[in-house]
Amino acid sequence: MKIEFTKMQGAGNDYIYVNALKYPLPNPEELAVIWSRPHTGIGSDGLVLIGASDKADFSMRIFNADGSEARMCGNASRCIGKYVYEYGLTDKTEITLDTLSGIKPLHLHVKNGEVNAVTVDMGIPADIHPVDLGENYPYREGIAVSMGNPHLVIFVDDMAQVDLPRVGPILEHHPLFPDRVNVEFAQVIKPGHIRMRVWERGSGITMACGTGACATAVASVYTHRCPKESDIMMDGGTLHIQWANERSHLFMTGPAVKVFDGVILIN
């Protein structure tokens, strides 16, 4: 069976996108693992399925590179906005997306018939609180934030000193987070400008993480490090985050880029 796919990236966070309205994949968990491999597959951070919804314009399912299903991904949400508009699935510039973390409204920034950026209403962050990781861990203090998926934000003075391949998996599996956690390291360059690197649960080191950028901005406001708007600078690019206070919706704006289209065979 031939499956058409599109590889897209948002700030370097790259996924394989399949129109599940046309190609209902029977085993996306397995395919996410096979297709995400960089040398023997397509190479990606995971697989995203675009489907129908009885509550929104479209639905999104995300499978990480290890086959686990994610609840939400900000970068993938933006890319879906670009996909459905440019591939003619909608002509609207205001659409809604049904995710495991709820309905997410998207505003598409269109110029000359192309979507060059998308603003996502990420909802109201939840469960914001400091955590003590314990003296037996490489970092003692962090801020927990839920963006519909769990995050642990750790502020550091020098990002160059963070051994992400070593400490990322240790903190991902910290017993405080029984379902594992996404780990963000953040260095405030100046108020409103934050350098961030991420270890994503199920994927490891990625170039960017939309919900992670949101969690980092939330943690910076919560700890009075930054104002209500911040640019979060990641390995793959920068996202602009707006969040006023704990009762406010958070808005994320950033790029969405098509890398290439392709066809792959499955048995």
Side-chain angles (χ1 to χ4, degrees):
M1 181 179 178
K2 292 183 178 180
I3 303 295
E4 296 176 347
F5 70 88
T6 299
K7 184 170 178 178
M8 305 181 77
Q9 59 95 359
N13 196 193
D14 64 327
Y15 286 94
I16 301 158
Y17 293 78
V18 173
N19 180 358
L21 297 166
K22 186 176 181 180
Y23 301 104
L25 300 181
N27 52 345
E29 298 89 349
E30 179 182 344
L31 293 175
V33 174
I34 296 171
W35 290 355
S36 296
R37 291 169 181 159
H39 300 296
T40 59
I42 299 167
S44 72
D45 294 324
L47 170 65
V48 177
L49 304 183
I50 305 166
S53 170
D54 58 0
K55 298 178 288 186
D57 293 310
F58 300 95
S59 68
M60 172 175 73
R61 294 187 70 191
I62 313 160
F63 298 90
N64 296 315
D66 69 351
S68 61
E69 186 166 7
R71 295 185 58 82
M72 177 58 188
C73 175
N75 290 320
S77 299
R78 297 197 316 277
C79 287
I80 283 184
K82 180 179 179 71
Y83 184 105
V84 297
Y85 186 88
E86 295 187 3
Y87 284 84
L89 300 183
T90 185
D91 59 0
K92 299 193 297 185
T93 58
E94 303 284 342
I95 64 174
T96 51
L97 190 60
D98 187 0
T99 79
L100 291 181
S101 293
I103 306 297
K104 306 299 180 185
L106 311 182
H107 171 69
L108 314 183
H109 302 267
V110 179
K111 185 176 181 179
N112 299 324
E114 292 188 358
V115 177
N116 52 27
V118 177
T119 297
V120 184
D121 180 346
M122 298 291 288
I124 301 176
D127 299 329
I128 310 164
H129 60 274
V131 293
D132 184 340
L133 299 170
E135 61 183 14
N136 295 324
Y137 286 84
Y139 295 88
R140 183 69 185 258
E141 298 178 346
I143 304 295
V145 180
S146 173
M147 290 303 309
N149 56 357
H151 291 270
L152 172 65
V153 181
I154 297 173
F155 289 98
V156 297
D157 295 326
D158 184 1
M159 188 67 72
Q161 300 300 313
V162 177
D163 187 357
L164 192 55
R166 183 181 71 84
V167 301
I170 295 173
L171 296 174
E172 176 190 358
H173 293 88
H174 195 286
L176 286 174
F177 305 95
D179 295 324
R180 297 181 296 160
V181 70
N182 301 283
V183 184
E184 286 81 34
F185 288 92
Q187 178 184 351
V188 178
I189 306 302
K190 61 180 181 179
H193 293 79
I194 304 173
R195 174 76 172 100
M196 188 199 94
R197 294 194 71 200
V198 59
W199 177 276
E200 289 197 58
R201 62 173 184 170
S203 294
I205 297 174
T206 58
M207 297 288 286
C209 176
T211 54
C214 295
T216 296
V218 168
S220 72
V221 174
Y222 178 80
T223 58
H224 307 291
R225 285 179 165 89
C226 284
K228 299 174 183 178
E229 296 190 29
S230 287
D231 288 328
I232 310 297
M233 300 168 286
M234 298 167 288
D235 291 347
T238 299
L239 298 178
H240 184 71
I241 312 297
Q242 298 171 276
W243 186 61
N245 55 57
E246 294 184 34
R247 298 178 300 278
S248 300
H249 283 233
L250 182 148
F251 296 90
M252 173 191 64
T253 302
V257 179
K258 184 178 85 169
V259 182
F260 61 82
D261 293 313
V263 175
I264 192 166
L265 299 176
I266 63 172
N267 296 324

